Amino acid sequence: MIAIEVLEKYGALKKSFDKSEIIFEEGNLPTHYYQIISGEIKMSNYNDDGREFIQGIFYKDQSFGEPPLFLNQNYPANAIAVENSEVLLLPKNKFMKLLEENPKVSIKIIENLAQRLYYKSVMAAEMSTQEPEHRVLKLIDHGIAYFNFKKEENGYLINFTRQQIGDLTGLRVETVIRTIKSLEKKGVLKIINRKVYR
Amino acid sequence: MIAIEVLEKYGALKKSFDKSEIIFEEGNLPTHYYQIISGEIKMSNYNDDGREFIQGIFYKDQSFGEPPLFLNQNYPANAIAVENSEVLLLPKNKFMKLLEENPKVSIKIIENLAQRLYYKSVMAAEMSTQEPEHRVLKLIDHGIAYFNFKKEENGYLINFTRQQIGDLTGLRVETVIRTIKSLEKKGVLKIINRKVYR
DNA sequence: CTTGTTTTATGATTTTAATCATAAATAGGA
DNA sequence: TCCTATTTATGATTAAAATCATAAAACAAG
């Protein structure tokens, strides 16, 4: 998103997070801008009885957690490293200075937020009104464009577990497993030794 | 959001929409920035069997439909006037010029998008994992802060129909009616001649 | 290489909101 | 003011995904 040199110029520091390590927690006030150098970070909520909902998964060069930073509101979700990851942290006041002095960066931020809002709009409509097959397929097709699914000989490899797909679509693992099976039977995707291709 | 004089300086024109009139449709490419002068606009989707999902409801001084404008993507939803409304329209190229020449406006846009993303994050988590009572209550409490619910002697008047609440939360009217009844019985809100107060 | 954990898998049962049916109350328009 | 459409309301039934139970396969860690 923002060039690393620019971030470092304003005083950003690199920090490493082990797999499963928490980066920030729901309910806390934001203090930094976060941008991923390497690894994979998820933002998610846990409801009253421990069920997870994944707000989004972020990769190299992507930022996360800005909305509450701009609004001075508490984080609505947790950020957790899915893999060992390196993240650049820039304190809020320095980040705001960076923005003021680099109007082009503001445009980049706008485009990024717009992109995420677009994804949320599409998924919200799906999740509220559509049946499981529709939901899962929409997530997968969206993922091809926005998550880092890689094209292989059998199609795009959907490198999400069934559980992750469930947590992203609001479905249960068993339902996802059955849904994917049914989608395969209909020929819209392939399962090759348990991996899903589209 | 953006001062009317500034918008007009860049060539924005006022346009009136009658109740139920369509402002733009899902699938079309954005051409303008829209900001409400008066009235009420909803953005919503219709799924395969005609069921509606309301993405958001917007009032005086609010803008809508920017994400696809910034991304050059098709609108993911329709915009329809809920009441007779007046809207300022600014063509995309002039809007982009305005942004470039007024960095402070960019910050405003960022804050606005951040706000909407925050709402969507909260509602997405609710809609995917929580039971109807939780969902409806979250929408109402969110609405007190962000929709224009007005404080009256009995509390905040939730000026949504049961159907609208359903379309915003992904529930059916009957379920919303029963849920609201049950919430009243628990004492968390009031129903006074069919109107809901919180 | 062994062991513990995660992921995928399947069948049976239950729960819960959707659906269907019907109607009264209210609001809005002619 | 009357008529029509919308909104609220309630009961009965159904359908669909969640839940529960159980297990094999794959993977990761030591």
Side-chain angles (χ1 to χ4, degrees):
Chain A
M1 267 282 332
I2 303 179
I4 295 180
E5 311 81 60
V6 177
L7 285 168
E8 282 174 341
K9 185 179 142 199
Y10 282 85
L13 290 178
K14 198 188 328 190
K15 199 169 167 190
S16 293
F17 294 93
D18 288 337
K19 184 176 176 174
S20 301
E21 200 177 335
I22 293 168
I23 294 152
F24 55 71
E25 280 182 283
E26 184 175 350
N28 289 350
L29 269 180
T31 57
H32 291 77
Y33 168 83
Y34 296 88
Q35 185 170 313
I36 301 171
I37 293 174
S38 69
E40 184 178 344
I41 310 285
K42 73 172 173 186
M43 288 201 57
S44 63
N45 298 97
Y46 295 90
N47 79 350
D48 305 339
D49 32 65
R51 188 168 167 193
E52 183 175 14
F53 174 73
I54 300 178
Q55 294 282 355
I57 300 183
F58 302 92
Y59 307 91
K60 182 170 153 48
D61 293 336
Q62 294 185 300
S63 58
F64 57 91
E66 306 95 298
L69 183 71
F70 287 118
L71 302 168
N72 284 313
Q73 292 189 60
N74 297 325
Y75 282 118
N78 309 284
I80 299 172
V82 179
E83 301 295 344
N84 293 343
S85 305
E86 293 178 304
V87 181
L88 268 181
L89 277 74
L90 183 63
K92 180 174 175 172
N93 57 338
K94 292 181 184 168
F95 174 61
M96 294 316 262
K97 188 153 180 278
L98 186 161
L99 273 196
E100 275 166 36
E101 294 172 7
N102 300 270
K104 289 247 167 97
V105 172
S106 292
I107 304 288
K108 275 267 165 230
I109 299 276
I110 287 175
E111 282 170 4
N112 183 246
L113 292 178
Q115 185 65 74
R116 278 149 69 180
L117 203 44
Y118 196 91
Y119 164 77
K120 290 240 177 259
S121 297
V122 171
M123 285 311 294
E126 287 295 315
M127 284 175 48
S128 82
T129 65
Q130 300 287 6
E131 69 280 12
E133 292 193 10
H134 217 283
R135 286 199 225 181
V136 169
L137 213 50
K138 202 82 179 188
L139 176 77
I140 286 175
D141 285 349
H142 182 92
I144 287 171
Y146 306 112
F147 298 114
N148 64 355
F149 294 160
K150 290 184 189 69
K151 182 137 194 167
E152 300 188 2
E153 46 184 339
N154 298 307
Y156 286 95
L157 168 63
I158 311 307
N159 61 335
F160 283 156
T161 65
R162 313 287 196 271
Q163 181 64 62
Q164 284 179 317
I165 293 174
D167 293 342
L168 281 158
T169 54
L171 298 168
R172 290 308 222 173
V173 214
E174 300 94 321
T175 305
V176 173
I177 289 167
R178 289 185 249 254
T179 300
I180 286 177
K181 283 258 158 83
S182 148
L183 286 170
E184 189 205 21
K185 212 165 283 167
K186 291 183 179 167
V188 300
L189 46 76
K190 288 182 208 136
I191 305 178
I192 297 164
N193 65 39
R194 312 170 125 215
K195 292 184 196 305
V196 179
Y197 295 88
R198 161 92 173 157
Chain B
M1 267 280 334
I2 303 180
I4 294 179
E5 311 81 60
V6 176
L7 284 169
E8 282 173 342
K9 184 179 144 202
Y10 281 84
L13 290 178
K14 197 188 330 190
K15 199 170 168 191
S16 295
F17 294 92
D18 288 337
K19 184 176 175 174
S20 302
E21 201 176 335
I22 293 167
I23 294 151
F24 56 72
E25 281 183 282
E26 183 176 350
N28 290 350
L29 269 179
T31 56
H32 291 77
Y33 168 82
Y34 296 89
Q35 185 170 312
I36 301 171
I37 294 175
S38 69
E40 184 178 343
I41 310 286
K42 72 172 173 185
M43 289 201 56
S44 63
N45 297 97
Y46 296 90
N47 79 350
D48 305 339
D49 34 63
R51 188 167 167 193
E52 183 176 14
F53 174 73
I54 300 178
Q55 294 283 355
I57 300 183
F58 302 92
Y59 306 90
K60 182 169 153 47
D61 293 335
Q62 294 185 299
S63 58
F64 57 92
E66 307 96 296
L69 183 72
F70 287 117
L71 302 167
N72 284 311
Q73 291 189 61
N74 297 325
Y75 281 118
N78 309 284
I80 299 171
V82 179
E83 301 295 344
N84 293 343
S85 305
E86 292 179 305
V87 181
L88 268 180
L89 277 74
L90 182 63
K92 181 175 175 171
N93 57 336
K94 292 180 183 168
F95 174 61
M96 294 315 262
K97 188 154 180 278
L98 185 160
L99 272 197
E100 275 166 36
E101 294 173 5
N102 301 269
K104 290 244 167 99
V105 172
S106 292
I107 304 287
K108 274 267 166 233
I109 298 276
I110 286 176
E111 282 171 3
N112 184 244
L113 292 178
Q115 186 64 75
R116 279 148 69 180
L117 203 45
Y118 196 91
Y119 165 76
K120 290 240 176 258
S121 298
V122 171
M123 285 310 294
E126 286 297 314
M127 284 174 49
S128 81
T129 65
Q130 300 286 7
E131 69 279 12
E133 291 194 11
H134 217 282
R135 287 200 225 180
V136 168
L137 213 50
K138 201 84 178 186
L139 176 77
I140 287 176
D141 285 348
H142 182 93
I144 288 171
Y146 306 113
F147 298 113
N148 64 356
F149 295 159
K150 290 184 189 69
K151 182 135 194 168
E152 300 188 2
E153 47 184 337
N154 299 306
Y156 286 95
L157 169 63
I158 311 307
N159 61 333
F160 283 157
T161 65
R162 313 287 196 270
Q163 181 65 64
Q164 283 179 316
I165 293 173
D167 292 342
L168 282 158
T169 54
L171 299 168
R172 292 307 222 173
V173 214
E174 299 95 322
T175 305
V176 173
I177 289 166
R178 289 185 249 254
T179 301
I180 287 178
K181 283 260 159 82
S182 148
L183 285 170
E184 189 205 20
K185 211 164 285 167
K186 291 183 179 168
V188 299
L189 45 77
K190 288 181 207 138
I191 305 178
I192 298 162
N193 65 38
R194 311 170 126 216
K195 292 185 195 304
V196 179
Y197 295 87
R198 160 94 174 156

